[in-house]
Amino acid sequence: MKTKILPSGELISAAAQEIAELVKSKPVAAIAFSDDPEVAGILSTFFLLCKENQINCSGLRFFATSNIPQDPAAEAVLKNGFDVIRPDPENPEAYDGLISECGVDLQLLSVGCTGRIAYNEPAVPYNSVTHIQKLTDRTKKELLEKFERTSVPDTVCTAGIHTILSAAHILVACSGEYRAEALFRTLYARTDSVVPSAFLQLHLDVTIYADALAAEKL
């Protein structure tokens, strides 16, 4: 995994620029994204870059990794005129079928306080595909306090670890001191289901963008 430590403001723009370079080389790329404030900021900045630099992004496809309400990343995509393909809790396997059919060029993630990626909580297996996930109390608290949600569901339909790791490239963005322990464990924990984000160590092309607070334990 490549780790880039940047000031918070630069983190968002640098990650957005990386997506823009991908789209220049592949205008029909498929991009999957998780529900995180950093990811929402990256996508919003990416669309601004496309407008400012006349980058044609009309052929892109976007996949949300979960069906959670009030997803700011999905709202950023919808606001710019694109459809968002979401997992369907009534038919989770259909999402994996679409992912397998088109392939994901870029997966955007952050790391939650429990070490979750998307909504894969501790104890999720490596071979998990799209499924219904019960949220831990720590994740619910994180969503309410850090993501400023007004309500949080008990369960979420989320892409699994196997689904996420099928992407060609994974970009992880983390900011804030409260993510420091989880980010440390992402890079150095054993690759087992106790820390879901540690499974990212098994992928061959992962770039982590972190600010100084999130990276303070690295």
Side-chain angles (χ1 to χ4, degrees), residues 63 94-104 163 166:
F63 293 83
Y95 183 86
D96 290 283
L98 289 171
I99 293 286
S100 178
E101 179 183 323
C102 76
V104 170
T163 309
S166 70

Side-chain angles (χ1 to χ4, degrees), residues 12-217:
I12 297 293
S13 58
Q17 185 62 51
E18 182 173 331
I19 304 173
E21 294 302 321
L22 165 67
V23 174
K24 287 179 185 177
S25 63
K26 188 171 184 181
V28 293
I31 298 173
F33 58 87
S34 65
D35 160 43
D36 296 283
E38 292 92 344
V39 171
I42 289 167
L43 287 169
S44 295
T45 303
F46 161 71
F47 286 118
L48 285 174
L49 283 174
C50 289
K51 291 173 183 176
E52 291 172 358
N53 297 284
Q54 298 183 333
I55 300 171
N56 182 9
C57 59
S58 61
L60 298 180
R61 296 182 71 183
F62 290 94
F63 293 83
T65 57
S66 76
N67 74 330
I68 194 166
Q70 303 176 33
D71 180 347
E75 290 171 7
V77 174
L78 292 167
K79 187 171 70 173
N80 282 277
F82 290 88
D83 292 329
V84 175
I85 300 168
R86 307 172 192 258
D88 181 357
E90 300 297 325
N91 187 18
E93 60 271 16
Y95 183 86
D96 290 283
L98 289 171
I99 293 286
S100 178
E101 179 183 323
C102 76
V104 170
D105 298 284
L106 177 66
Q107 170 72 62
L108 294 170
L109 296 171
S110 191
V111 177
C113 60
T114 62
R116 65 176 176 82
I117 47 175
Y119 284 99
N120 293 282
E121 298 278 22
V124 69
Y126 170 76
N127 63 352
S128 59
V129 292
T130 304
H131 62 284
I132 307 298
Q133 176 70 56
K134 180 176 175 59
L135 301 186
T136 65
D137 289 341
R138 283 191 69 193
T139 290
K140 290 179 181 179
K141 183 178 179 182
E142 178 185 26
L143 294 177
L144 289 169
E145 295 182 357
K146 304 298 183 180
F147 290 25
E148 299 181 349
R149 295 296 176 86
T150 56
S151 62
V152 177
D154 291 326
T155 62
V156 172
C157 186
T158 183
I161 299 294
H162 184 270
T163 309
I164 288 169
L165 294 186
S166 70
H169 176 56
I170 298 175
L171 190 158
V172 182
C174 284
S175 62
E177 184 179 5
Y178 82 99
R179 296 187 194 266
E181 178 64 26
L183 184 57
F184 173 83
R185 297 174 76 196
T186 298
L187 272 68
Y188 299 112
R190 293 176 55 186
T191 52
D192 59 33
S193 61
V194 175
V195 184
S197 58
F199 285 126
L200 293 172
Q201 297 172 31
L202 304 177
H203 197 281
L204 297 178
D205 193 359
V206 177
T207 302
I208 296 175
Y209 288 89
D211 70 2
L213 291 175
E216 66 177 5
K217 295 190 176 184

